[in-house]
Amino acid sequence: MTFPSNGAEAAARPQPDTVPRTAAPSFWLTLRGLLVAAGSGAVLSLAFPGWDAGWLAWFAMVPFLMQIMGPRRTREYMTLSAAFGFGFFGGLNYWLLAMHPLTWLGPSMTVPLSLAIVFLAWALLALILALGAMVAFTGAGVVMRALTRQGRLAGWMAVLVPACFWVLMEYVQAHGTFGYSWGMLAATQYKTLPLLQSIALVGSFPLAGLIVAVNAGIAWTILKREWKPLAGALLTVILASGFGAWWMNRPVPGTPVPVAVVQGNISQTEKWHRGNEFRIMDTYLALSAKAAKAKLVVWPESALPVLLNQTPALGDRLTQEARTRQQYYLVGAFNSDVGPKGLPRYFNATTVYGPAGENLGWDAKKHLVPFGEYLPGRDTLPAIWSRTFSQLNLLSVDVTPGERPNPFKTSFGAVGSNVCFDSIFPDVMRGTARAGAEAFVLVTNDGWYKKTMAMQQHLAHGVLRAVENRRPFVQAANTGASGVVDHTGRIVALAPTWEPTVTEATIVPVADMTPYTRFGDWLAYLMMAGAGAFLAIAYRGRKLA
């Protein structure tokens, strides 16, 4: 028996120096790389609802991913990823700029000041979210660089690494007090219903990872002329779509319930002018009278912008109308109570008046908007903080978040209600389903964002929540988008935006829980653990090299 020499052993081992360290790129190469990365992110933002170009999501990231698949300096990964993130999140959230002018906040809000505030808010949001992309894709780039230098970067790794790190980024952005999950990549596929059904098993985060995997597979195929990783990702898409075609055609037992969504199209100036509440109620009641066959009539967020529990004249009118018309009225309004310390608390909430003249209770918004519904650090930060930022809060007091879901028990099933941005957080709506809701209602006021794509993008998140939990979803918005979504995510009725109108449809309440409703984001947890495992493998290989 012969043994290899020491030289043969060394040659057989993957060498850390087999991939040379690249020299610092020139200014023009750096600028070109940053423009490519930012452009890739901007194109990806066009895949979201409103533009109706969801097909872009499957390859928009390719130019950016091709750049981070090669060995680079860590700071290059950081700058490229930050540029991609700013292009993506800045483009996606462009509609924040439409909030200008903020003159409805009062005479002290001048046009130049409004423009400065709105632009700064947009830029800061884009930068903060881009920071998440920078951390995620710097991590992905460092891992692939280490595996390349170790001679261990297989095609399947090049596909899975970016997918796992994207899921980690999305999940983190969707949780916490300052969570903001408007950029969920699954929303780009809100019209691709067979594929979308897979989120009833695993949630929306893994579908985002699958989209990134296809992008990474294309990038790898271009760079390495190896098609098998891409084929594996595409096969997963086909299998998921096949499951979805079967899942969405499963029969749902139940009796159809006629519902009506009332879109008042009340201007922001009129809505928030004290003393207009009775005239606003007359507008909503006149529109509601057109939906005589509906069992459930839904009004938008803060349709009555008062403390309804302290305005008995409005409450008595609603009680009378619900009894006379034998309908359930679900209304967005404000509510108050006394907290544990004896201090008053205020809620952005919904309430229901039933056909027997009863009030079915209240349910409050779960995830509040910082600087819009409450001022973070009001009691702990310096007074100048409160004086400066409280001007951006439409209300003079902080709103309190709802503690737990409180579905309304009706004659046709339990109706779970949520308010505004609650629908962009999967955990919030999943909690509503687990509390017993057999149908979802979301009330919102997206009139702040003028005639932008924000309204369509907001409704698309409702489509995701409907499919995840297999529940019909009703969205009532002040100016749009108002509509009705069935349990498969199909938009069965959609109101024209910026018009006072009533939209009617039927829903079938569903009591069964999906695997996602029962078990949550189990696959997302595995993918995030995979990101950690890849980091550990890369770090261990570096120490052994």
Side-chain angles (χ1 to χ4, degrees), residues 202-363:
V202 298
S204 294
F205 301 113
L207 177 55
L210 179 57
I211 295 171
V212 175
V214 171
N215 278 268
I218 296 173
W220 185 259
T221 300
I222 294 172
L223 291 172
K224 302 295 184 181
R225 301 296 189 269
E226 184 185 351
W227 56 268
K228 289 183 179 178
L230 174 59
L234 292 176
L235 179 60
T236 305
V237 173
I238 293 171
L239 292 175
S241 299
F243 160 80
W246 167 78
W247 178 266
M248 67 186 296
N249 287 300
R250 294 170 62 218
V252 174
T255 303
V257 178
V259 300
V261 181
V262 183
Q263 181 175 290
N265 197 41
I266 308 296
S267 72
Q268 302 293 61
T269 302
E270 180 183 2
K271 172 185 281 287
W272 300 109
H273 191 280
R274 187 171 299 176
N276 283 345
E277 55 268 21
F278 289 94
R279 186 155 55 89
I280 291 173
M281 169 171 268
D282 289 339
T283 298
Y284 276 105
L285 288 175
L287 288 168
S288 301
K290 300 177 181 179
K293 296 181 179 179
K295 287 188 176 180
L296 175 66
V297 179
V298 184
W299 295 4
E301 176 188 10
S302 61
L304 299 175
V306 296
L307 287 169
L308 189 56
N309 62 318
Q310 296 183 17
T311 316
L314 295 177
D316 292 345
R317 180 84 181 276
L318 280 166
T319 299
Q320 177 185 347
E321 294 290 338
R323 183 190 296 116
T324 300
R325 299 179 182 180
Q326 286 296 289
Q327 294 172 315
Y328 290 93
Y329 278 77
L330 192 154
V331 177
F334 292 97
N335 184 32
S336 64
D337 68 6
V338 178
K341 297 181 180 180
L343 299 175
R345 301 186 301 177
Y346 304 93
F347 303 90
N348 186 359
T350 59
T351 187
V352 173
Y353 292 85
E358 76 279 28
N359 181 266
L360 277 62
W362 290 82
D363 199 1

Side-chain angles (χ1 to χ4, degrees), residues 28-361:
W28 294 111
L29 284 176
T30 300
L31 179 61
R32 185 178 69 178
L34 292 176
L35 290 176
V36 168
S40 181
V43 171
L44 181 61
S45 72
L46 298 178
F48 279 75
W51 307 106
D52 287 329
W55 45 273
L56 282 174
W58 297 99
F59 58 84
M61 299 177 67
V62 171
F64 165 66
L65 291 174
M66 288 176 65
Q67 294 193 89
I68 68 165
M69 282 183 175
R72 294 179 177 273
R73 297 169 183 265
T74 300
R75 64 173 174 266
E76 291 177 47
Y77 288 129
M78 294 174 67
T79 55
L80 288 170
S81 301
F84 168 80
F86 190 83
F88 172 53
F89 290 112
L92 180 62
N93 294 282
Y94 83 97
W95 42 265
L96 282 172
L97 298 172
M99 293 185 68
H100 171 74
L102 299 171
T103 49
W104 43 268
L105 284 173
S108 62
M109 185 60 63
T110 63
V111 170
L113 179 59
S114 169
L115 185 60
I117 290 174
V118 168
F119 181 82
L120 182 62
W122 168 80
L124 283 176
L125 179 64
L127 286 170
I128 291 170
L129 295 174
L131 179 63
M134 184 186 74
V135 172
F137 283 108
T138 298
V142 167
V143 166
M144 289 190 285
R145 180 184 67 190
L147 293 174
T148 298
R149 287 177 174 162
Q150 297 163 26
R152 302 167 64 187
L153 182 61
W156 67 269
M157 288 183 173
V159 167
L160 279 181
V161 168
C164 289
F165 277 92
W166 180 281
V167 169
L168 175 61
M169 178 192 73
E170 268 201 10
Y171 186 87
V172 171
Q173 289 177 343
H175 291 82
T177 302
F178 295 97
Y180 180 74
S181 55
W182 198 266
M184 295 188 73
L185 207 52
T188 63
Q189 307 304 307
Y190 80 112
K191 289 186 176 180
T192 313
L193 294 183
L195 174 62
L196 200 63
Q197 305 307 306
S198 61
I199 68 177
L201 299 179
V202 298
S204 294
F205 301 113
L207 177 55
L210 179 57
I211 295 171
V212 175
V214 171
N215 278 268
I218 296 173
W220 185 259
T221 300
I222 294 172
L223 291 172
K224 302 295 184 181
R225 301 296 189 269
E226 184 185 351
W227 56 268
K228 289 183 179 178
L230 174 59
L234 292 176
L235 179 60
T236 305
V237 173
I238 293 171
L239 292 175
S241 299
F243 160 80
W246 167 78
W247 178 266
M248 67 186 296
N249 287 300
R250 294 170 62 218
V252 174
T255 303
V257 178
V259 300
V261 181
V262 183
Q263 181 175 290
N265 197 41
I266 308 296
S267 72
Q268 302 293 61
T269 302
E270 180 183 2
K271 172 185 281 287
W272 300 109
H273 191 280
R274 187 171 299 176
N276 283 345
E277 55 268 21
F278 289 94
R279 186 155 55 89
I280 291 173
M281 169 171 268
D282 289 339
T283 298
Y284 276 105
L285 288 175
L287 288 168
S288 301
K290 300 177 181 179
K293 296 181 179 179
K295 287 188 176 180
L296 175 66
V297 179
V298 184
W299 295 4
E301 176 188 10
S302 61
L304 299 175
V306 296
L307 287 169
L308 189 56
N309 62 318
Q310 296 183 17
T311 316
L314 295 177
D316 292 345
R317 180 84 181 276
L318 280 166
T319 299
Q320 177 185 347
E321 294 290 338
R323 183 190 296 116
T324 300
R325 299 179 182 180
Q326 286 296 289
Q327 294 172 315
Y328 290 93
Y329 278 77
L330 192 154
V331 177
F334 292 97
N335 184 32
S336 64
D337 68 6
V338 178
K341 297 181 180 180
L343 299 175
R345 301 186 301 177
Y346 304 93
F347 303 90
N348 186 359
T350 59
T351 187
V352 173
Y353 292 85
E358 76 279 28
N359 181 266
L360 277 62

Side-chain angles (χ1 to χ4, degrees), residues 315-537:
D316 292 345
R317 180 84 181 276
L318 280 166
T319 299
Q320 177 185 347
E321 294 290 338
R323 183 190 296 116
T324 300
R325 299 179 182 180
Q326 286 296 289
Q327 294 172 315
Y328 290 93
Y329 278 77
L330 192 154
V331 177
F334 292 97
N335 184 32
S336 64
D337 68 6
V338 178
K341 297 181 180 180
L343 299 175
R345 301 186 301 177
Y346 304 93
F347 303 90
N348 186 359
T350 59
T351 187
V352 173
Y353 292 85
E358 76 279 28
N359 181 266
L360 277 62
W362 290 82
D363 199 1
K365 185 177 182 180
K366 316 302 184 301
H367 197 107
L368 302 180
V369 178
F371 304 103
E373 292 172 308
Y374 73 99
L375 179 62
R378 182 189 294 273
D379 298 327
T380 57
L381 294 175
I384 188 173
W385 171 271
S386 298
R387 289 196 301 269
T388 301
F389 288 96
S390 62
Q391 297 180 42
L392 301 179
N393 194 336
L394 188 65
L395 306 174
S396 59
V397 295
D398 287 344
V399 174
T400 301
E403 296 176 355
R404 62 183 65 86
N406 181 35
F408 301 109
K409 302 297 192 301
T410 71
S411 60
F412 51 81
V415 176
S417 73
N418 287 282
V419 180
C420 193
F421 277 1
D422 279 349
S423 66
I424 74 173
F425 298 101
D427 276 354
V428 171
M429 301 290 281
R430 174 173 170 259
T432 302
R434 288 179 61 85
E438 299 167 64
F440 290 150
V441 169
L442 182 89
V443 299
T444 186
N445 175 22
D446 293 341
W448 316 101
Y449 311 123
K450 313 292 194 312
K451 297 182 180 181
T452 65
M453 304 302 181
M455 293 184 288
Q456 289 79 11
Q457 292 170 8
H458 197 177
L459 180 60
H461 284 87
V463 172
L464 299 184
R465 307 293 87 84
V467 177
E468 286 169 348
N469 300 281
R470 201 168 171 79
R471 297 288 190 273
F473 176 90
V474 178
Q475 178 163 306
N478 178 30
T479 57
S482 299
V484 179
V485 180
D486 73 8
H487 60 279
T488 69
R490 181 180 290 106
I491 300 175
V492 297
L494 184 63
T497 57
W498 294 93
E499 293 182 18
T501 186
V502 177
T503 301
E504 297 182 77
T506 59
I507 62 172
V508 178
V510 180
D512 294 339
M513 291 190 181
T514 65
Y516 172 75
T517 308
R518 291 181 182 275
F519 305 114
D521 294 301
W522 62 272
L523 184 55
Y525 298 148
L526 291 178
M527 295 184 74
M528 290 188 288
F534 281 126
L535 279 172
I537 291 171

